[in-house]
Amino acid sequence: MSASAARPLRLHLNEHTGGCSPAVLAAIRAIAREDIARYPDYAPVTSASERHFGVDAGWITLTNGLDEGLHAAAYAVARTNRRLAGARPPIALVVEPAFEMYAACADAAGLDVRRVLPGDDPAFPVEAFFAALSPDVRLIYLTDPNNPTGLAMPPGLLDRICAAAPWALVMLDEAYAEYSGRTAIGPALDRRRNLIVGRTFAKAFGLAGLRVGAIVAHPETLAPLRRVLPPFPLNICAVRALEAAVEDRAYLEWSIAQAGESRGLVAGACRRLGLHCWPSEANFVLVRIGDEVGRVVEEMAAAGVLVRDRSQQPGCAGCCRITAGVVDHTRRAIAALEDALRSSRRPHRA
Ligand SMILES: *Cc1c(COP(=O)(O)O)cnc(C)c1O
């Protein structure tokens, strides 16, 4: 086995392959034995997070990764709607192609999942979405920018959705908002009382292994989610890490700039190679390889570069998703992609 295959480049989960800020590690190293023996105090880190997102006190709840926030939304909706008229459970709407956790969370909480399907292209299926919006839809998962496409939500759509379904909780997943530079967190959040914004420190801040996320909304909107969350979702390492991470603006800006350059490199490579890709606003790019996608992904893995086969997701036939964060790593991915394509395009392959 080659060295690169033994320790592959992980470009399949949109992790930060540059690691976290060095300040985060220093903060964890500074934790005292007594700190570890105590239940964590969330007051300082919550204030730091409120400052970071520019919201008032009470508008944030920290969670054990954004995944926990996605779960809490489903449990809160199931709990609030348990006496819904009729025998059927409330419905969670998932707009495909989507992050798999939405359907998993809804299912865990006993909600029915209704998937809104795109056409051949994975763009947001606006018409199908509104057609699916019946009164028994009580939870709507949205993503901006989308994973796996990296596409922005169509402008103005969020407001239309929040207004069209006041009986539903809208959970807007902004896992990649640092890269897009766009967020629904702001003064308008006060008007949208059925909207919760989910954020994570896993991607642009590189804290995936520590599990740190946040849900942001009007305090009354957050209240039902707080009821289903455990009292101490973050451990002390995550708390100290988050405090340090939000202070290191330079590291965040470096991460965002690297992703911007990387997306450009992948898009340029796709043009050269005659492959279609979608204009991403995140730290990854969805690339349409075609029928050979399975082979190409396998060959790249054999060469030590892991990327994600997304060809089974609706609207994503023949596609793989490549994390495009740290520029050096993106260059390696492009070289591996070119090699894999060259061998798969050879006329006399086995
Ligand atoms: C990575 C990701 C998450 C998960 O965030 P965690 O904080 O690691 O739980 C949530 N939503 C989307 C769309 C993601 O890509």
Side-chain angles (χ1 to χ4, degrees), residues 88-284:
R88 296 193 59 77
I91 291 170
L93 215 54
V94 173
V95 186
E96 297 284 355
F99 186 52
E100 290 96 334
M101 281 300 295
Y102 307 149
C105 291
D107 179 64
L111 304 176
D112 274 353
V113 175
R114 181 179 291 164
R115 296 172 192 274
V116 183
L117 297 176
D120 292 339
D121 186 272
F124 195 105
V126 178
E127 259 181 60
F129 176 88
F130 285 102
L133 202 55
S134 54
D136 46 353
V137 170
R138 294 300 162 105
L139 175 60
I140 301 169
Y141 285 111
L142 299 172
T143 328
D144 187 28
N146 177 276
N147 176 7
T149 65
L151 293 171
M153 247 175 72
L157 187 60
L158 179 64
D159 264 330
R160 275 180 68 200
I161 291 173
C162 290
W167 55 82
L169 181 70
V170 178
M171 180 79 210
L172 176 67
D173 181 332
E174 288 190 351
Y176 301 95
E178 288 82 10
Y179 302 106
S180 70
R182 183 165 23 76
T183 179
I185 300 172
L189 203 50
D190 196 18
R191 285 188 278 105
R192 299 163 172 154
R193 292 294 172 89
N194 57 337
L195 174 64
I196 295 184
V197 178
R199 298 289 290 256
T200 179
F201 297 90
K203 306 288 161 57
F205 290 88
L207 303 186
L210 284 169
R211 316 303 301 129
V212 198
I215 45 178
V216 188
H218 188 279
E220 280 170 26
T221 313
L222 283 181
L225 279 73
R226 286 181 168 147
R227 287 190 72 149
V228 301
L229 283 166
F232 296 104
L234 271 66
N235 67 51
I236 188 66
C237 294
V239 167
R240 295 291 165 80
L242 179 53
E243 287 168 352
V246 294
E247 290 303 318
D248 194 349
R249 298 296 306 178
Y251 192 77
L252 176 63
E253 275 154 30
W254 175 78
S255 307
I256 294 167
Q258 288 278 300
E261 194 177 336
S262 284
R263 291 192 303 260
L265 289 172
V266 174
C270 287
R271 273 193 299 277
R272 263 195 333 274
L273 296 164
L275 301 173
H276 181 72
C277 69
W278 285 264
S280 169
E281 296 193 345
N283 68 336
F284 56 83

